[in-house]
Amino acid sequence: GDSVTQMEGPVTLSEEAFLTINCTYTATGYPSLFWYVQYPGEGLQLLLKATKADDKGSNKGFEATYRKETTSFHLEKGSVQVSDSAVYFCALSRGANSKLTFGKGITLSVRP
Amino acid sequence: NAGVTQTPKFQVLKTGQSMTLQCAQDMNHEYMSWYRQDPGMGLRLIHYSVGAGITDQGEVPNGYNVSRSTTEDFPLRLLSAAPSQTSVYFCASSPGYRGESSTDTQYFGPGTRLTVL
């Protein structure tokens, strides 16, 4: 079945550092790929998505590229801020009316 | 739009008690689902619905019941609470195939933190 694997956490960075969070998936065909973010005490918010190979999703300075050849969707940001401290989830879906399959999530803490 | 709303925000139950977690959306979304979030396990699907009158089981349905009598509401019932059901519960919705285009983006509620003693 489908699965999503995220790098182990937590991750602690200093403000303005470069961020990479690895995500790989196992699925047949061409699922849609997502990054969701959960700020402390809140629900999940969509951060970005990509629906086909080589698509790049971007939002709030974050980027991720759908790499079919490596089955990856790594999240990057050039300069993190304290306000980026949150839990980040990678997920995949097989389309409308389909469930999301989530990775375990990774906690990011950014120090001033 | 209020989006996806959930009540209550927090709840403490004793083992064996029953309760209903409420979820509502005002976006006319076709697809609704319930997830539970446990430390180190991400989110796991409990039940889902692709429209009023249609529900189906997800990965971890045991001990939970759902119904979908209207497009807007999708309550989750705990039949006889157990400590293993201590978790944070999220309701989500997405447009599905309704409207001019389909989308698989899901919108989440703020969650209900449930503790079973």
Side-chain angles (χ1 to χ4, degrees), chain A residues 38-44, chain B residues 4-13 19-23 34 87-91 108-115:
Chain A
Q38 183 181 29
Y39 297 105
E42 299 184 10
L44 279 72
Chain B
V4 180
T5 58
Q6 292 183 238
T7 56
K9 197 169 181 65
F10 300 95
Q11 183 70 50
V12 179
L13 293 178
M19 79 159 294
T20 299
L21 280 62
Q22 301 293 343
C23 173
W34 278 101
S87 188
V88 181
Y89 292 85
F90 289 102
C91 180
F108 284 79
T112 294
R113 184 174 293 275
L114 175 68
T115 301

PDB file of all heavy atoms in Angstrom, chain A residues 38-44, chain B residues 4-13 19-23 34 87-91 108-115:
ATOM      1  N   GLN A  38       1.502  22.294  11.095  1.00  0.00           N
ATOM      2  CA  GLN A  38       0.669  22.401  12.299  1.00  0.00           C
ATOM      3  C   GLN A  38       1.386  23.285  13.302  1.00  0.00           C
ATOM      4  O   GLN A  38       2.390  22.880  13.904  1.00  0.00           O
ATOM      5  CB  GLN A  38       0.412  21.021  12.893  1.00  0.00           C
ATOM      6  CG  GLN A  38      -0.510  21.034  14.093  1.00  0.00           C
ATOM      7  CD  GLN A  38      -0.735  19.634  14.672  1.00  0.00           C
ATOM      8  OE1 GLN A  38       0.118  18.766  14.576  1.00  0.00           O
ATOM      9  NE2 GLN A  38      -1.898  19.424  15.259  1.00  0.00           N
ATOM     10  N   TYR A  39       0.866  24.494  13.501  1.00  0.00           N
ATOM     11  CA  TYR A  39       1.421  25.394  14.503  1.00  0.00           C
ATOM     12  C   TYR A  39       0.918  24.990  15.879  1.00  0.00           C
ATOM     13  O   TYR A  39      -0.136  24.348  15.998  1.00  0.00           O
ATOM     14  CB  TYR A  39       1.065  26.839  14.181  1.00  0.00           C
ATOM     15  CG  TYR A  39       1.647  27.297  12.870  1.00  0.00           C
ATOM     16  CD1 TYR A  39       0.843  27.429  11.742  1.00  0.00           C
ATOM     17  CD2 TYR A  39       3.003  27.583  12.749  1.00  0.00           C
ATOM     18  CE1 TYR A  39       1.375  27.829  10.525  1.00  0.00           C
ATOM     19  CE2 TYR A  39       3.542  27.977  11.536  1.00  0.00           C
ATOM     20  CZ  TYR A  39       2.723  28.095  10.435  1.00  0.00           C
ATOM     21  OH  TYR A  39       3.251  28.476   9.237  1.00  0.00           O
ATOM     22  N   PRO A  40       1.640  25.326  16.931  1.00  0.00           N
ATOM     23  CA  PRO A  40       1.275  24.873  18.283  1.00  0.00           C
ATOM     24  C   PRO A  40      -0.180  25.153  18.620  1.00  0.00           C
ATOM     25  O   PRO A  40      -0.664  26.283  18.481  1.00  0.00           O
ATOM     26  CB  PRO A  40       2.231  25.673  19.175  1.00  0.00           C
ATOM     27  CG  PRO A  40       3.428  25.908  18.316  1.00  0.00           C
ATOM     28  CD  PRO A  40       2.892  26.114  16.930  1.00  0.00           C
ATOM     29  N   GLY A  41      -0.881  24.112  19.048  1.00  0.00           N
ATOM     30  CA  GLY A  41      -2.268  24.250  19.489  1.00  0.00           C
ATOM     31  C   GLY A  41      -3.283  24.410  18.380  1.00  0.00           C
ATOM     32  O   GLY A  41      -4.461  24.686  18.656  1.00  0.00           O
ATOM     33  N   GLU A  42      -2.878  24.247  17.131  1.00  0.00           N
ATOM     34  CA  GLU A  42      -3.789  24.452  16.010  1.00  0.00           C
ATOM     35  C   GLU A  42      -3.958  23.192  15.178  1.00  0.00           C
ATOM     36  O   GLU A  42      -3.276  22.184  15.382  1.00  0.00           O
ATOM     37  CB  GLU A  42      -3.278  25.589  15.123  1.00  0.00           C
ATOM     38  CG  GLU A  42      -3.184  26.917  15.841  1.00  0.00           C
ATOM     39  CD  GLU A  42      -2.760  28.033  14.890  1.00  0.00           C
ATOM     40  OE1 GLU A  42      -2.720  27.811  13.669  1.00  0.00           O
ATOM     41  OE2 GLU A  42      -2.482  29.131  15.398  1.00  0.00           O
ATOM     42  N   GLY A  43      -4.881  23.262  14.228  1.00  0.00           N
ATOM     43  CA  GLY A  43      -5.069  22.180  13.278  1.00  0.00           C
ATOM     44  C   GLY A  43      -4.049  22.262  12.156  1.00  0.00           C
ATOM     45  O   GLY A  43      -3.157  23.111  12.157  1.00  0.00           O
ATOM     46  N   LEU A  44      -4.172  21.365  11.186  1.00  0.00           N
ATOM     47  CA  LEU A  44      -3.240  21.336  10.071  1.00  0.00           C
ATOM     48  C   LEU A  44      -3.661  22.330   8.999  1.00  0.00           C
ATOM     49  O   LEU A  44      -4.854  22.469   8.702  1.00  0.00           O
ATOM     50  CB  LEU A  44      -3.190  19.934   9.447  1.00  0.00           C
ATOM     51  CG  LEU A  44      -2.313  18.910  10.150  1.00  0.00           C
ATOM     52  CD1 LEU A  44      -2.933  18.459  11.459  1.00  0.00           C
ATOM     53  CD2 LEU A  44      -2.069  17.715   9.240  1.00  0.00           C
TER      54      LEU A  44
ATOM     55  N   VAL B   4     -14.009  24.603   8.646  1.00  0.00           N
ATOM     56  CA  VAL B   4     -14.333  23.371   9.363  1.00  0.00           C
ATOM     57  C   VAL B   4     -14.302  23.671  10.864  1.00  0.00           C
ATOM     58  O   VAL B   4     -13.283  24.158  11.368  1.00  0.00           O
ATOM     59  CB  VAL B   4     -13.340  22.246   9.026  1.00  0.00           C
ATOM     60  CG1 VAL B   4     -13.702  20.978   9.790  1.00  0.00           C
ATOM     61  CG2 VAL B   4     -13.296  21.990   7.527  1.00  0.00           C
ATOM     62  N   THR B   5     -15.395  23.407  11.535  1.00  0.00           N
ATOM     63  CA  THR B   5     -15.463  23.649  12.976  1.00  0.00           C
ATOM     64  C   THR B   5     -15.632  22.325  13.713  1.00  0.00           C
ATOM     65  O   THR B   5     -16.296  21.402  13.208  1.00  0.00           O
ATOM     66  CB  THR B   5     -16.623  24.590  13.332  1.00  0.00           C
ATOM     67  OG1 THR B   5     -17.851  24.017  12.858  1.00  0.00           O
ATOM     68  CG2 THR B   5     -16.426  25.954  12.691  1.00  0.00           C
ATOM     69  N   GLN B   6     -15.036  22.256  14.886  1.00  0.00           N
ATOM     70  CA  GLN B   6     -15.135  21.055  15.722  1.00  0.00           C
ATOM     71  C   GLN B   6     -15.470  21.450  17.156  1.00  0.00           C
ATOM     72  O   GLN B   6     -14.958  22.449  17.664  1.00  0.00           O
ATOM     73  CB  GLN B   6     -13.795  20.292  15.741  1.00  0.00           C
ATOM     74  CG  GLN B   6     -13.409  19.668  14.426  1.00  0.00           C
ATOM     75  CD  GLN B   6     -12.112  18.873  14.543  1.00  0.00           C
ATOM     76  OE1 GLN B   6     -11.132  19.139  13.850  1.00  0.00           O
ATOM     77  NE2 GLN B   6     -12.121  17.867  15.435  1.00  0.00           N
ATOM     78  N   THR B   7     -16.310  20.672  17.781  1.00  0.00           N
ATOM     79  CA  THR B   7     -16.598  20.838  19.203  1.00  0.00           C
ATOM     80  C   THR B   7     -16.700  19.470  19.856  1.00  0.00           C
ATOM     81  O   THR B   7     -17.121  18.499  19.206  1.00  0.00           O
ATOM     82  CB  THR B   7     -17.929  21.599  19.431  1.00  0.00           C
ATOM     83  OG1 THR B   7     -18.978  20.914  18.742  1.00  0.00           O
ATOM     84  CG2 THR B   7     -17.815  23.033  18.951  1.00  0.00           C
ATOM     85  N   PRO B   8     -16.303  19.347  21.132  1.00  0.00           N
ATOM     86  CA  PRO B   8     -15.645  20.378  21.926  1.00  0.00           C
ATOM     87  C   PRO B   8     -14.166  20.486  21.576  1.00  0.00           C
ATOM     88  O   PRO B   8     -13.652  19.703  20.789  1.00  0.00           O
ATOM     89  CB  PRO B   8     -15.825  19.829  23.347  1.00  0.00           C
ATOM     90  CG  PRO B   8     -15.766  18.343  23.175  1.00  0.00           C
ATOM     91  CD  PRO B   8     -16.465  18.073  21.860  1.00  0.00           C
ATOM     92  N   LYS B   9     -13.471  21.407  22.177  1.00  0.00           N
ATOM     93  CA  LYS B   9     -12.030  21.557  21.974  1.00  0.00           C
ATOM     94  C   LYS B   9     -11.259  20.588  22.869  1.00  0.00           C
ATOM     95  O   LYS B   9     -10.223  20.059  22.482  1.00  0.00           O
ATOM     96  CB  LYS B   9     -11.605  22.989  22.258  1.00  0.00           C
ATOM     97  CG  LYS B   9     -10.234  23.356  21.705  1.00  0.00           C
ATOM     98  CD  LYS B   9     -10.008  24.841  21.794  1.00  0.00           C
ATOM     99  CE  LYS B   9      -8.650  25.232  21.234  1.00  0.00           C
ATOM    100  NZ  LYS B   9      -8.524  24.971  19.810  1.00  0.00           N
ATOM    101  N   PHE B  10     -11.764  20.385  24.061  1.00  0.00           N
ATOM    102  CA  PHE B  10     -11.159  19.449  25.011  1.00  0.00           C
ATOM    103  C   PHE B  10     -12.272  18.601  25.633  1.00  0.00           C
ATOM    104  O   PHE B  10     -13.389  19.077  25.810  1.00  0.00           O
ATOM    105  CB  PHE B  10     -10.427  20.186  26.146  1.00  0.00           C
ATOM    106  CG  PHE B  10      -9.322  21.076  25.695  1.00  0.00           C
ATOM    107  CD1 PHE B  10      -9.549  22.426  25.485  1.00  0.00           C
ATOM    108  CD2 PHE B  10      -8.056  20.573  25.481  1.00  0.00           C
ATOM    109  CE1 PHE B  10      -8.523  23.256  25.070  1.00  0.00           C
ATOM    110  CE2 PHE B  10      -7.024  21.400  25.064  1.00  0.00           C
ATOM    111  CZ  PHE B  10      -7.259  22.750  24.857  1.00  0.00           C
ATOM    112  N   GLN B  11     -11.939  17.350  25.969  1.00  0.00           N
ATOM    113  CA  GLN B  11     -12.908  16.483  26.630  1.00  0.00           C
ATOM    114  C   GLN B  11     -12.179  15.420  27.441  1.00  0.00           C
ATOM    115  O   GLN B  11     -11.186  14.859  26.966  1.00  0.00           O
ATOM    116  CB  GLN B  11     -13.813  15.804  25.603  1.00  0.00           C
ATOM    117  CG  GLN B  11     -14.909  14.933  26.184  1.00  0.00           C
ATOM    118  CD  GLN B  11     -15.978  15.748  26.881  1.00  0.00           C
ATOM    119  OE1 GLN B  11     -16.499  16.716  26.335  1.00  0.00           O
ATOM    120  NE2 GLN B  11     -16.319  15.338  28.089  1.00  0.00           N
ATOM    121  N   VAL B  12     -12.671  15.186  28.650  1.00  0.00           N
ATOM    122  CA  VAL B  12     -12.158  14.101  29.482  1.00  0.00           C
ATOM    123  C   VAL B  12     -13.301  13.131  29.729  1.00  0.00           C
ATOM    124  O   VAL B  12     -14.396  13.531  30.142  1.00  0.00           O
ATOM    125  CB  VAL B  12     -11.606  14.620  30.825  1.00  0.00           C
ATOM    126  CG1 VAL B  12     -11.115  13.448  31.668  1.00  0.00           C
ATOM    127  CG2 VAL B  12     -10.470  15.607  30.591  1.00  0.00           C
ATOM    128  N   LEU B  13     -13.054  11.861  29.469  1.00  0.00           N
ATOM    129  CA  LEU B  13     -14.059  10.818  29.676  1.00  0.00           C
ATOM    130  C   LEU B  13     -13.523   9.754  30.615  1.00  0.00           C
ATOM    131  O   LEU B  13     -12.301   9.580  30.737  1.00  0.00           O
ATOM    132  CB  LEU B  13     -14.415  10.136  28.350  1.00  0.00           C
ATOM    133  CG  LEU B  13     -15.143  10.930  27.280  1.00  0.00           C
ATOM    134  CD1 LEU B  13     -15.329  10.048  26.043  1.00  0.00           C
ATOM    135  CD2 LEU B  13     -16.479  11.423  27.787  1.00  0.00           C
ATOM    136  N   MET B  19     -19.584   9.289  23.823  1.00  0.00           N
ATOM    137  CA  MET B  19     -19.743  10.700  23.493  1.00  0.00           C
ATOM    138  C   MET B  19     -19.669  10.876  21.978  1.00  0.00           C
ATOM    139  O   MET B  19     -19.265   9.961  21.252  1.00  0.00           O
ATOM    140  CB  MET B  19     -18.675  11.563  24.160  1.00  0.00           C
ATOM    141  CG  MET B  19     -17.337  11.557  23.494  1.00  0.00           C
ATOM    142  SD  MET B  19     -16.337  12.995  23.914  1.00  0.00           S
ATOM    143  CE  MET B  19     -17.267  14.332  23.174  1.00  0.00           C
ATOM    144  N   THR B  20     -20.063  12.064  21.543  1.00  0.00           N
ATOM    145  CA  THR B  20     -20.023  12.413  20.124  1.00  0.00           C
ATOM    146  C   THR B  20     -19.168  13.644  19.931  1.00  0.00           C
ATOM    147  O   THR B  20     -19.372  14.665  20.596  1.00  0.00           O
ATOM    148  CB  THR B  20     -21.437  12.679  19.594  1.00  0.00           C
ATOM    149  OG1 THR B  20     -22.233  11.493  19.740  1.00  0.00           O
ATOM    150  CG2 THR B  20     -21.386  13.069  18.122  1.00  0.00           C
ATOM    151  N   LEU B  21     -18.213  13.534  19.028  1.00  0.00           N
ATOM    152  CA  LEU B  21     -17.415  14.678  18.596  1.00  0.00           C
ATOM    153  C   LEU B  21     -18.098  15.281  17.373  1.00  0.00           C
ATOM    154  O   LEU B  21     -18.394  14.566  16.406  1.00  0.00           O
ATOM    155  CB  LEU B  21     -15.994  14.252  18.225  1.00  0.00           C
ATOM    156  CG  LEU B  21     -14.979  14.040  19.354  1.00  0.00           C
ATOM    157  CD1 LEU B  21     -15.419  12.931  20.292  1.00  0.00           C
ATOM    158  CD2 LEU B  21     -13.620  13.718  18.770  1.00  0.00           C
ATOM    159  N   GLN B  22     -18.326  16.582  17.441  1.00  0.00           N
ATOM    160  CA  GLN B  22     -19.047  17.241  16.361  1.00  0.00           C
ATOM    161  C   GLN B  22     -18.087  17.838  15.338  1.00  0.00           C
ATOM    162  O   GLN B  22     -17.010  18.331  15.681  1.00  0.00           O
ATOM    163  CB  GLN B  22     -19.938  18.349  16.919  1.00  0.00           C
ATOM    164  CG  GLN B  22     -20.973  17.887  17.918  1.00  0.00           C
ATOM    165  CD  GLN B  22     -22.048  17.007  17.295  1.00  0.00           C
ATOM    166  OE1 GLN B  22     -22.227  16.977  16.078  1.00  0.00           O
ATOM    167  NE2 GLN B  22     -22.762  16.275  18.148  1.00  0.00           N
ATOM    168  N   CYS B  23     -18.489  17.774  14.074  1.00  0.00           N
ATOM    169  CA  CYS B  23     -17.737  18.387  12.981  1.00  0.00           C
ATOM    170  C   CYS B  23     -18.735  18.971  11.994  1.00  0.00           C
ATOM    171  O   CYS B  23     -19.702  18.288  11.614  1.00  0.00           O
ATOM    172  CB  CYS B  23     -16.854  17.372  12.285  1.00  0.00           C
ATOM    173  SG  CYS B  23     -16.038  18.019  10.799  1.00  0.00           S
ATOM    174  N   TRP B  34     -12.421  11.797   9.291  1.00  0.00           N
ATOM    175  CA  TRP B  34     -11.922  11.910  10.651  1.00  0.00           C
ATOM    176  C   TRP B  34     -10.568  11.213  10.745  1.00  0.00           C
ATOM    177  O   TRP B  34     -10.400  10.065  10.272  1.00  0.00           O
ATOM    178  CB  TRP B  34     -12.867  11.240  11.648  1.00  0.00           C
ATOM    179  CG  TRP B  34     -14.025  12.082  12.044  1.00  0.00           C
ATOM    180  CD1 TRP B  34     -15.304  12.013  11.591  1.00  0.00           C
ATOM    181  CD2 TRP B  34     -14.014  13.132  13.035  1.00  0.00           C
ATOM    182  NE1 TRP B  34     -16.091  12.947  12.221  1.00  0.00           N
ATOM    183  CE2 TRP B  34     -15.330  13.637  13.107  1.00  0.00           C
ATOM    184  CE3 TRP B  34     -13.031  13.681  13.861  1.00  0.00           C
ATOM    185  CZ2 TRP B  34     -15.675  14.682  13.976  1.00  0.00           C
ATOM    186  CZ3 TRP B  34     -13.377  14.710  14.718  1.00  0.00           C
ATOM    187  CH2 TRP B  34     -14.684  15.191  14.767  1.00  0.00           C
ATOM    188  N   SER B  87      -6.361  10.763  22.412  1.00  0.00           N
ATOM    189  CA  SER B  87      -5.736  11.219  21.180  1.00  0.00           C
ATOM    190  C   SER B  87      -6.235  12.627  20.875  1.00  0.00           C
ATOM    191  O   SER B  87      -7.084  13.172  21.573  1.00  0.00           O
ATOM    192  CB  SER B  87      -6.100  10.266  20.028  1.00  0.00           C
ATOM    193  OG  SER B  87      -5.379  10.571  18.857  1.00  0.00           O
ATOM    194  N   VAL B  88      -5.699  13.183  19.790  1.00  0.00           N
ATOM    195  CA  VAL B  88      -6.250  14.406  19.236  1.00  0.00           C
ATOM    196  C   VAL B  88      -6.969  14.030  17.948  1.00  0.00           C
ATOM    197  O   VAL B  88      -6.391  13.357  17.087  1.00  0.00           O
ATOM    198  CB  VAL B  88      -5.157  15.454  18.959  1.00  0.00           C
ATOM    199  CG1 VAL B  88      -5.791  16.729  18.410  1.00  0.00           C
ATOM    200  CG2 VAL B  88      -4.364  15.762  20.221  1.00  0.00           C
ATOM    201  N   TYR B  89      -8.201  14.465  17.822  1.00  0.00           N
ATOM    202  CA  TYR B  89      -9.037  14.087  16.685  1.00  0.00           C
ATOM    203  C   TYR B  89      -9.243  15.289  15.764  1.00  0.00           C
ATOM    204  O   TYR B  89      -9.613  16.370  16.216  1.00  0.00           O
ATOM    205  CB  TYR B  89     -10.392  13.572  17.177  1.00  0.00           C
ATOM    206  CG  TYR B  89     -10.273  12.257  17.902  1.00  0.00           C
ATOM    207  CD1 TYR B  89      -9.954  12.203  19.251  1.00  0.00           C
ATOM    208  CD2 TYR B  89     -10.443  11.056  17.218  1.00  0.00           C
ATOM    209  CE1 TYR B  89      -9.808  10.993  19.912  1.00  0.00           C
ATOM    210  CE2 TYR B  89     -10.309   9.836  17.872  1.00  0.00           C
ATOM    211  CZ  TYR B  89      -9.982   9.822  19.216  1.00  0.00           C
ATOM    212  OH  TYR B  89      -9.838   8.612  19.857  1.00  0.00           O
ATOM    213  N   PHE B  90      -8.999  15.058  14.484  1.00  0.00           N
ATOM    214  CA  PHE B  90      -9.175  16.098  13.483  1.00  0.00           C
ATOM    215  C   PHE B  90     -10.215  15.682  12.460  1.00  0.00           C
ATOM    216  O   PHE B  90     -10.191  14.556  11.956  1.00  0.00           O
ATOM    217  CB  PHE B  90      -7.854  16.388  12.759  1.00  0.00           C
ATOM    218  CG  PHE B  90      -6.852  17.098  13.608  1.00  0.00           C
ATOM    219  CD1 PHE B  90      -5.799  16.397  14.178  1.00  0.00           C
ATOM    220  CD2 PHE B  90      -6.950  18.459  13.843  1.00  0.00           C
ATOM    221  CE1 PHE B  90      -4.862  17.038  14.971  1.00  0.00           C
ATOM    222  CE2 PHE B  90      -6.021  19.115  14.639  1.00  0.00           C
ATOM    223  CZ  PHE B  90      -4.983  18.396  15.199  1.00  0.00           C
ATOM    224  N   CYS B  91     -11.077  16.604  12.161  1.00  0.00           N
ATOM    225  CA  CYS B  91     -12.027  16.453  11.069  1.00  0.00           C
ATOM    226  C   CYS B  91     -11.486  17.243   9.871  1.00  0.00           C
ATOM    227  O   CYS B  91     -10.864  18.299  10.048  1.00  0.00           O
ATOM    228  CB  CYS B  91     -13.384  16.993  11.493  1.00  0.00           C
ATOM    229  SG  CYS B  91     -14.673  16.884  10.255  1.00  0.00           S
ATOM    230  N   PHE B 108      -8.617  21.257   7.328  1.00  0.00           N
ATOM    231  CA  PHE B 108      -8.740  20.648   8.646  1.00  0.00           C
ATOM    232  C   PHE B 108      -9.381  21.591   9.662  1.00  0.00           C
ATOM    233  O   PHE B 108      -9.180  22.808   9.621  1.00  0.00           O
ATOM    234  CB  PHE B 108      -7.361  20.233   9.160  1.00  0.00           C
ATOM    235  CG  PHE B 108      -6.839  18.992   8.502  1.00  0.00           C
ATOM    236  CD1 PHE B 108      -6.281  19.041   7.237  1.00  0.00           C
ATOM    237  CD2 PHE B 108      -6.922  17.765   9.144  1.00  0.00           C
ATOM    238  CE1 PHE B 108      -5.813  17.885   6.618  1.00  0.00           C
ATOM    239  CE2 PHE B 108      -6.458  16.608   8.540  1.00  0.00           C
ATOM    240  CZ  PHE B 108      -5.902  16.671   7.275  1.00  0.00           C
ATOM    241  N   GLY B 109     -10.119  20.986  10.592  1.00  0.00           N
ATOM    242  CA  GLY B 109     -10.621  21.715  11.743  1.00  0.00           C
ATOM    243  C   GLY B 109      -9.535  21.876  12.793  1.00  0.00           C
ATOM    244  O   GLY B 109      -8.425  21.339  12.642  1.00  0.00           O
ATOM    245  N   PRO B 110      -9.828  22.580  13.893  1.00  0.00           N
ATOM    246  CA  PRO B 110      -8.824  22.870  14.920  1.00  0.00           C
ATOM    247  C   PRO B 110      -8.522  21.700  15.841  1.00  0.00           C
ATOM    248  O   PRO B 110      -7.551  21.750  16.596  1.00  0.00           O
ATOM    249  CB  PRO B 110      -9.443  24.031  15.698  1.00  0.00           C
ATOM    250  CG  PRO B 110     -10.915  23.843  15.521  1.00  0.00           C
ATOM    251  CD  PRO B 110     -11.096  23.289  14.148  1.00  0.00           C
ATOM    252  N   GLY B 111      -9.336  20.660  15.801  1.00  0.00           N
ATOM    253  CA  GLY B 111      -9.049  19.475  16.601  1.00  0.00           C
ATOM    254  C   GLY B 111      -9.799  19.420  17.916  1.00  0.00           C
ATOM    255  O   GLY B 111     -10.229  20.441  18.460  1.00  0.00           O
ATOM    256  N   THR B 112      -9.982  18.189  18.404  1.00  0.00           N
ATOM    257  CA  THR B 112     -10.526  17.918  19.734  1.00  0.00           C
ATOM    258  C   THR B 112      -9.516  17.044  20.475  1.00  0.00           C
ATOM    259  O   THR B 112      -9.153  15.969  19.983  1.00  0.00           O
ATOM    260  CB  THR B 112     -11.870  17.166  19.656  1.00  0.00           C
ATOM    261  OG1 THR B 112     -12.853  18.010  19.060  1.00  0.00           O
ATOM    262  CG2 THR B 112     -12.332  16.746  21.048  1.00  0.00           C
ATOM    263  N   ARG B 113      -9.084  17.529  21.625  1.00  0.00           N
ATOM    264  CA  ARG B 113      -8.143  16.755  22.445  1.00  0.00           C
ATOM    265  C   ARG B 113      -8.945  15.940  23.445  1.00  0.00           C
ATOM    266  O   ARG B 113      -9.603  16.507  24.320  1.00  0.00           O
ATOM    267  CB  ARG B 113      -7.152  17.670  23.153  1.00  0.00           C
ATOM    268  CG  ARG B 113      -6.085  16.919  23.938  1.00  0.00           C
ATOM    269  CD  ARG B 113      -5.039  17.879  24.499  1.00  0.00           C
ATOM    270  NE  ARG B 113      -4.253  18.505  23.443  1.00  0.00           N
ATOM    271  CZ  ARG B 113      -3.179  17.989  22.879  1.00  0.00           C
ATOM    272  NH1 ARG B 113      -2.744  16.792  23.282  1.00  0.00           N
ATOM    273  NH2 ARG B 113      -2.525  18.642  21.952  1.00  0.00           N
ATOM    274  N   LEU B 114      -8.893  14.621  23.295  1.00  0.00           N
ATOM    275  CA  LEU B 114      -9.685  13.716  24.140  1.00  0.00           C
ATOM    276  C   LEU B 114      -8.777  12.901  25.053  1.00  0.00           C
ATOM    277  O   LEU B 114      -7.790  12.327  24.590  1.00  0.00           O
ATOM    278  CB  LEU B 114     -10.494  12.755  23.263  1.00  0.00           C
ATOM    279  CG  LEU B 114     -11.277  11.670  24.010  1.00  0.00           C
ATOM    280  CD1 LEU B 114     -12.411  12.297  24.807  1.00  0.00           C
ATOM    281  CD2 LEU B 114     -11.823  10.632  23.044  1.00  0.00           C
ATOM    282  N   THR B 115      -9.128  12.886  26.327  1.00  0.00           N
ATOM    283  CA  THR B 115      -8.424  12.049  27.297  1.00  0.00           C
ATOM    284  C   THR B 115      -9.422  11.073  27.902  1.00  0.00           C
ATOM    285  O   THR B 115     -10.502  11.476  28.351  1.00  0.00           O
ATOM    286  CB  THR B 115      -7.807  12.901  28.424  1.00  0.00           C
ATOM    287  OG1 THR B 115      -6.900  13.844  27.845  1.00  0.00           O
ATOM    288  CG2 THR B 115      -7.068  12.028  29.419  1.00  0.00           C
TER     289      THR B 115
END
